[in-house]
Amino acid sequence: QKEVEQDPGPLSVPEGAIVSLNCTYSNSAFQYFMWYRQYSRKGPELLMYTYSSGNKEDGRFTAQVDKSSKYISLFIRDSQPSDSATYLCAMKAGVNQFYFGTGTSLTVIP
Amino acid sequence: KAGVTQTPRYLIKTRGQQVTLSCSPISGHRSVSWYQQTPGQGLQFLFEYFSETQRNKGNFPGRFSGRQFSNSRSEMNVSTLELGDSALYLCASSSFLTGANTEAFFGQGTRLTVV
């Protein structure tokens, strides 16, 4: 079983839709949770960073962590064509080793 | 503040050759990690260096090695290249210190193609 599972999609939504991206994980030691956005032929760009359980909001983006269920989510409100990218979840325990999901490809159609 | 710089951006090598990739982290960041990204496997952790010492290592063969210099710049070397080594190699820097924690910032990557 992989440490982090993420539905690869692809996911296609109309502009303005609410997008929900999810990851599950198996290692209960994970405490730090991140979402990265990666455009084609670019490196991943950090979107959200949360510690432990709870919600964090930044503009149109909301990250949720449910440690009891080992489940994290990223919500994108009022999605835009510029949000079209691959979204990667990442997490780690105390050491500086990140575990990534395989990424979900998102296309927002104008 | 300059970001993470990786050079070269693209490389084409022949099977059996070796290759060296370079990464300059964000100024002040002392931790550098390397990842291999392929369509099927996603991002896989290679190793992490902090203050010139390898602190963590992923499940890759010994053909993959790295080092970090006193100015925190890091290099990754792959010897005896195989076709399956074709991938995007990403470097990430963070200011991770013992007892503290921060997120990682990625470079643009080096796309290696082995023919």
Side-chain angles (χ1 to χ4, degrees), chain A residues 7-80:
Chain A
D7 186 340
L11 189 59
S12 185
V13 301
E15 183 175 354
I18 296 174
V19 176
S20 173
L21 305 167
N22 311 292
C23 288
T24 59
Y25 62 95
S26 56
N27 189 343
S28 57
F30 287 147
Q31 301 176 64
Y32 306 95
F33 304 91
M34 288 136 282
W35 285 94
Y36 287 84
R37 177 175 60 195
Q38 187 174 22
Y39 292 112
S40 180
R41 300 191 173 278
K42 301 285 189 182
E45 166 197 12
L46 180 69
L47 274 179
M48 301 285 286
Y49 171 77
T50 54
Y51 171 69
S52 197
S53 285
N55 293 359
K56 185 174 183 179
E57 190 173 317
D58 184 1
R60 297 184 295 111
F61 298 90
T62 300
Q64 284 187 354
V65 174
D66 183 349
K67 291 190 72 180
S68 63
S69 302
K70 296 191 179 67
Y71 188 86
I72 71 170
S73 301
L74 177 71
F75 297 95
I76 307 174
R77 291 184 300 280
D78 187 26
S79 55
Q80 303 296 308

Side-chain angles (χ1 to χ4, degrees), chain A residues 36 38 46 49 92 96 98, chain B residues 31 35 37 94 101 103-104:
Chain A
Y36 287 84
Q38 187 174 22
L46 180 69
Y49 171 77
K92 64 174 179 172
N96 206 28
F98 291 77
Chain B
S31 169
Y35 292 83
Q37 187 177 34
S94 68
N101 189 82
E103 59 270 44

